[in-house]
Amino acid sequence: METSTSRQRTSGMPVHKYRRYEKFPLPDRQWPDRMPERAPLWASVDLRDGNQALIDPMDMDRRWAMYRLLLRMGFKEIEVGFPLSSQADRDFTRAVIEEDAIPDDVTIQVMSPIRDGMIEETVRSVRGAPRVILQIYNPTSTAQRRVVFGMSREQVKQLALVGAERALKLRDSLPGTEIHLQYGTESFTQTEPEFALEVCNAVLDLWRPEPSEQCRIVLPSTVECYPPHEFADRIEWMHRNLAHREAIILSLHQHNDRGSGIASAELALLAGADRVEGTLFGNGERAGNVDLITLAMNLYSQGIDPQLDLSFLDEARQIVEYCNRLPVPPRQPWAGDFVYTSFAGSHQDAISKGLTERGTGEGLCWDVPYLPVDPRDVGRDYQALIRINQQSGKGGIAYLMKQEHGYVLPRRLQIELAAVVQTRSEAAGEVTPERLLHWFADEYLADGAHGTDGPNTVEPVPAQQAESALAALLADRRLRGTLRELVVQPPDIATADGAETGWKVYVEVADGATVRWGVGAGVTKDEGLGRALRSAVRRLAAATYTGSEES
């Protein structure tokens, strides 16, 4: 009998068109046992690889805005363009040089394919620059050898050597300019590892680099086509077997086609890579380049100096959105609008308790639930940590009432208010702090006044007269009840805007199983108590007359 577990289920998708990657054998891999110890050398390609992927490429003003942002963040290697790809790229490359806009500790990068005359023309475009990385590249993958170039392995290797020899001859051709050579096997991920190594080593044997020359080999994940652990194995094997390894900088250039560009880069750094090329927030061809912000923040969250200034991420994001004319998603790791925000009640409660426990705690290690880093470190304040909707619980609501409005609510009042907010927010959606205060005042404050300068509409009541004053108010409404709890909050809680609040008084009144809170705010404690008693009796009467009971 055929069962659901024995039947062969199919999606109907044409999976026969695709083949699995071939696993690269590396049984003695070392990278899984390593831990990150330092930041890699960061290289931004926003102005070249990122720019060429834009629907509306950057004009000169947007290029300058991006360049200045990269300098401000601390990038030491910046690819300013592909001078032979467009007049705009060449113009910006020249502008950066001619306007003396390259700091003493920054090296610009340009790239050139290996074609007749192109390397020479690229070098001429950087005349006058103090330091330049000249990247040359040629595709080496099986598909490109067959489809694009119609070349054999040997022909592709010879093409690389021709370009490498031209670049070497031109390295010292510009007086006053240091040129550092970089060779890349484009589509490394789709190239047989042994052939990629053969080509790279042939180039390195030609260059015979010394450590002081800062020669580079880049192994691009031009198209991401297998899992991160497989990429790490191949990088470790290349790291072990590259010629002149002690004299070269091994670089990555990740793309994100499988959505694992970050993971691939992190594992490849454990496997021996020294440098990462990428973009801010991951702009780039197809699914984008690797996001350098995420990589750097991942290190920072582990207590490793990222060697980049990440203290103004929101401003940086706004500049990048202006330059790229593309939005950064609200769930973008570390920098999206919502990444330090919780709507769920249990999360809000844990965050609130974690922040309360920590206090000022500047010397303590960060250990707050649901917050992997202190939002203040990247330019956020605590104001947007907790946002209220129908999923929110008492902890988040109480946190906002305290931080934004100065009300430190007793626990049972927190529970009661949460039910009120949940009911009202089902129709209203997200609740702003201002709307939350409006609802709170409408529900709990006797005269709707939530400041300390409202009309004095009730007689001040000294604490020792609370029960007799309550009895009088109840008698006026033909009710019975007892004072269950009285909490007085002095005016020493500052709100988010730094303003001190007046006296807050919270009273809980019970009539059998019917229990209601009242809240009062006043210039004096006695004034606040009078208002709180009137609020509680009003709410108790409403519950009694409608037959609604809450224990």
Side-chain angles (χ1 to χ4, degrees):
M1 178 179 176
E2 186 181 46
T3 66
S4 60
T5 56
S6 64
R7 281 198 304 268
Q8 180 65 41
R9 296 182 180 273
T10 63
S11 66
M13 295 290 291
V15 295
H16 61 277
K17 291 168 57 177
Y18 305 99
R19 57 179 176 270
R20 297 183 186 182
Y21 66 91
E22 293 184 14
K23 183 171 177 56
F24 185 75
L26 192 69
D28 60 340
R29 61 183 62 83
Q30 302 298 309
W31 62 262
D33 294 326
R34 295 179 183 143
M35 291 281 288
E37 297 179 356
R38 64 184 66 85
L41 180 59
W42 304 112
S44 161
V45 296
D46 291 87
L47 290 161
R48 196 276 303 170
D49 202 350
N51 186 53
Q52 76 181 30
L54 296 176
I55 298 172
D56 180 13
M58 298 180 214
D59 57 22
M60 191 65 79
D61 288 343
R62 288 151 62 203
R63 288 175 193 251
W64 274 114
M66 177 66 77
Y67 182 69
R68 293 189 183 102
L69 172 62
L70 295 169
L71 293 179
R72 181 180 170 191
M73 295 186 74
F75 282 90
K76 303 306 179 187
E77 297 191 355
I78 300 173
E79 190 169 46
V80 293
F82 189 161
L84 300 190
S85 67
S86 70
Q87 188 62 44
D89 272 38
R90 184 181 179 89
D91 289 346
F92 184 71
T93 302
R94 292 308 310 159
V96 168
I97 297 167
E98 292 169 6
E99 296 186 27
D100 195 23
I102 306 173
D104 292 341
D105 59 348
V106 172
T107 302
I108 63 170
Q109 178 172 313
V110 291
M111 69 179 301
S112 172
I114 298 173
R115 295 181 188 168
D116 290 342
M118 283 195 166
I119 300 176
E120 292 82 354
E121 187 61 28
T122 300
V123 170
R124 281 194 287 272
S125 74
V126 296
R127 184 180 301 276
R131 291 161 305 283
V132 177
I133 298 166
L134 172 63
Q135 173 172 288
I136 60 170
Y137 71 93
N138 65 306
T140 57
S141 72
T142 54
Q144 285 169 305
R145 295 196 310 260
R146 183 185 73 252
V147 175
V148 180
F149 299 101
M151 288 184 175
S152 66
R153 279 189 176 194
E154 186 60 30
Q155 288 173 314
V156 168
K157 183 174 76 171
Q158 289 305 314
L159 179 63
L161 289 172
V162 167
E165 186 171 16
R166 288 175 183 162
L168 184 63
K169 290 179 179 178
L170 292 165
R171 185 179 60 183
D172 301 320
S173 64
L174 299 180
T177 299
E178 295 177 14
I179 295 181
H180 305 293
L181 303 179
Q182 176 166 300
Y183 172 72
T185 56
E186 188 188 352
S187 300
F188 166 76
T189 46
Q190 294 167 302
T191 301
E192 308 92 327
E194 68 279 4
F195 179 57
L197 179 68
E198 179 183 343
V199 175
C200 289
N201 280 348
V203 169
L204 290 170
D205 285 338
L206 175 66
W207 284 349
R208 304 194 66 79
E210 295 293 331
S212 61
E213 294 171 347
Q214 297 185 34
C215 177
R216 293 155 166 80
I217 291 291
V218 60
L219 302 175
S221 181
T222 309
V223 176
E224 191 179 36
C225 51
Y226 34 67
H229 67 277
E230 180 69 20
F231 184 69
D233 281 354
R234 299 182 189 215
I235 293 296
E236 181 169 329
W237 185 77
M238 293 290 290
H239 162 66
R240 293 184 194 178
N241 293 285
L242 279 168
H244 310 277
R245 181 64 184 94
E246 72 288 350
I248 63 171
I249 295 171
L250 178 56
S251 185
L252 307 172
H253 181 107
Q254 305 295 109
H255 280 261
N256 197 40
D257 299 272
R258 289 173 53 96
S260 53
I262 294 292
S264 292
E266 289 187 324
L267 298 190
L269 288 170
L270 297 179
D274 308 304
R275 177 178 182 266
V276 181
E277 294 183 350
T279 61
L280 304 183
F281 307 113
N283 176 49
E285 298 281 7
R286 302 179 312 281
N289 289 63
V290 74
D291 174 12
L292 298 185
I293 297 292
T294 298
L295 279 173
M297 280 299 303
N298 288 357
L299 291 173
Y300 179 71
S301 69
Q302 299 298 306
I304 297 172
D305 188 341
Q307 298 295 304
L308 293 174
D309 185 355
L310 305 168
S311 65
F312 58 104
L313 279 192
D314 284 347
E315 183 183 351
R317 185 190 67 190
Q318 291 166 5
I319 295 171
V320 171
E321 288 178 328
Y322 159 73
C323 293
N324 292 342
R325 293 184 176 171
L326 290 173
V328 173
R331 301 294 182 187
Q332 179 81 10
W334 304 114
D337 279 338
F338 293 158
V339 296
Y340 302 103
T341 299
S342 287
F343 289 96
S346 60
H347 291 206
Q348 294 174 345
D349 186 59
I351 290 171
S352 177
K353 289 175 179 175
L355 293 174
T356 299
E357 179 195 61
R358 181 175 177 79
T360 56
E362 295 299 331
L364 303 175
C365 282
W366 182 256
D367 190 21
V368 175
Y370 300 110
L371 292 177
V373 299
D374 186 342
R376 294 178 300 182
D377 293 349
V378 295
R380 299 271 179 98
D381 58 29
Y382 289 160
Q383 190 168 355
L385 289 181
I386 292 174
R387 294 168 68 167
I388 303 302
N389 63 15
Q390 66 187 53
Q391 302 297 321
S392 303
K394 61 179 176 55
I397 294 169
Y399 177 84
L400 282 187
M401 289 300 297
K402 175 183 176 181
Q403 293 297 116
E404 298 294 320
H405 308 304
Y407 287 90
V408 182
L409 307 181
R411 185 176 183 278
R412 288 199 297 272
L413 176 53
Q414 293 177 24
I415 297 170
E416 187 179 293
L417 176 60
V420 171
V421 172
Q422 186 174 38
T423 299
R424 295 197 181 199
S425 63
E426 286 176 356
E430 186 182 350
V431 182
T432 65
E434 294 74 24
R435 176 174 282 182
L436 177 62
L437 179 60
H438 174 74
W439 287 353
F440 179 79
D442 181 57
E443 183 73 27
Y444 288 97
L445 300 183
D447 50 18
H450 51 77
T452 59
D453 56 353
N456 187 9
T457 58
V458 294
E459 282 292 321
V461 177
Q464 64 269 25
Q465 299 177 16
E467 291 191 1
S468 59
L470 173 61
L473 288 169
L474 288 169
D476 285 345
R477 292 180 178 261
R478 298 180 181 179
L479 297 171
R480 292 181 302 174
T482 58
L483 183 62
R484 186 174 177 183
E485 185 169 354
L486 168 61
V487 178
V488 177
Q489 176 193 324
D492 60 352
I493 301 295
T495 57
D497 60 6
E500 283 195 348
T501 64
W503 287 84
K504 306 289 191 302
V505 180
Y506 312 91
V507 295
E508 187 182 32
V509 176
D511 180 5
T514 305
V515 180
R516 286 295 182 270
W517 281 90
V519 182
V523 175
T524 67
K525 174 176 62 175
D526 294 347
E527 184 181 349
L529 176 56
R531 286 180 170 153
L533 289 170
R534 195 179 83 168
S535 167
V537 171
R538 171 180 60 83
R539 299 187 71 247
L540 187 66
T544 300
Y545 296 150
T546 59
S548 171
E549 293 191 351
E550 180 180 297
S551 57

